[in-house]
């Protein structure tokens, strides 16, 4: 079942100025966290598409392992005005040849003729959470109303 993606997140994912971070795990569980500008939402808005430009990168190795051994990845996207979402997902396909790869390669080369393309990854979105500070603060204050510095409690009682 596909996860529903709200319009705000769709815009942030497809906005070139958004910061997109991809976290993956190696075979020992070590985290690799990297900024990935080529991450975007698929045209049918059900998956993330990621263009890996470096064949021997740690991210490529980790995503291949995630594909083979069903390990999740995490993506954090932050808009230019600070709206932040965290997505958990699972790589479900790696495209290394064919029409989709050729189209992706043309896109990558158009952005920078020095680029190369190793793999086009499809990542199924398993969960989404708004991690923007105002949202998270409100959630935590509701959940834990007494988790506050004593000086703030004293000010409220004056």
């Amino acid at each position: 079942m596909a996860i529903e993606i709200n319009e705000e997140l769709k815009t942030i994912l497809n906005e070139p100025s958004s910061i997109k971070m991809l976290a993956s795990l190696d075979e020992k569980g070590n985290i690799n966290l990297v900024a990935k500008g080529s991450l975007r939402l698929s045209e049918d808005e059900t998956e993330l598409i990621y263009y890996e430009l470096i064949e021997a990168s740690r991210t490529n190795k980790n995503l291949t392992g995630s594909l083979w051994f069903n390990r999740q990845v995490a993506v954090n996207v932050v808009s230019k005005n600070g709206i932040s979402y965290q997505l958990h997902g699972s790589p479900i396909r790696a495209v290394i040849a064919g029409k989709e790869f050729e189209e992706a390669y043309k896109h990558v080369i158009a952005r920078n003729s020095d680029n190369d393309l190793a793999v086009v990854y499809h990542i199924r979105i398993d969960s989404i959470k708004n991690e923007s500070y105002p949202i998270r603060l409100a959630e935590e204050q509701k959940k834990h109303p007494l988790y506050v510095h004593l000086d703030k409690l004293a000010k409220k009682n004056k």
Side-chain angles (χ1 to χ4, degrees):
M1 183 163 113
I3 298 285
E4 183 149 345
I5 302 168
N6 67 38
E7 291 303 317
E8 179 180 61
L9 180 53
K10 290 175 187 178
T11 300
I12 295 169
L13 280 166
N14 290 321
E15 176 60 45
S17 66
S18 296
I19 298 169
K20 300 166 186 100
M21 303 295 291
L22 173 63
S24 59
L25 299 172
D26 69 12
E27 66 280 356
K28 295 180 182 175
N30 297 313
I31 298 168
N32 180 54
L33 176 65
V34 288
K36 295 296 182 182
S38 67
L39 231 147
R40 64 175 177 79
L41 193 57
S42 64
E43 287 185 27
D44 67 1
E45 300 178 339
T46 62
E47 301 171 347
L48 294 174
I49 303 296
Y50 165 60
Y51 296 160
E52 174 55 63
L53 305 181
I54 302 172
E55 187 73 43
S57 75
R58 184 173 313 240
T59 301
N60 195 19
K61 291 175 187 175
N62 289 353
L63 288 181
T64 299
S66 293
L67 188 62
W68 291 349
F69 301 109
N70 199 28
R71 292 192 300 253
Q72 279 199 320
V73 299
V75 171
N76 191 305
V77 293
V78 183
S79 71
K80 59 185 172 189
N81 59 351
I83 298 168
S84 175
Y85 282 88
Q86 184 175 94
L87 300 85
H88 289 176
S90 303
I92 56 172
R93 191 166 56 145
V95 179
I96 58 170
K99 183 177 180 174
E100 180 183 354
F101 184 86
E102 289 174 15
E103 291 299 317
Y105 184 71
K106 289 175 189 173
H107 176 76
V108 165
I109 296 301
R111 292 189 73 198
N112 182 343
S113 62
D114 291 335
N115 281 342
D116 201 355
L117 180 62
V119 183
V120 176
Y121 282 102
H122 289 249
I123 302 169
R124 181 187 64 234
I125 301 168
D126 298 324
S127 67
I128 299 170
K129 181 160 180 60
N130 187 325
E131 291 286 346
S132 303
Y133 180 73
I135 301 290
R136 291 290 300 124
L137 181 62
E139 289 173 356
E140 289 302 316
Q141 286 174 336
K142 183 177 180 183
K143 194 176 183 181
H144 306 288
L146 299 178
Y147 285 13
V148 64
H149 285 270
L150 292 177
D151 62 328
K152 293 187 181 191
L153 286 176
K155 284 181 185 177
K156 286 182 182 178
N157 292 327
K158 282 187 178 181

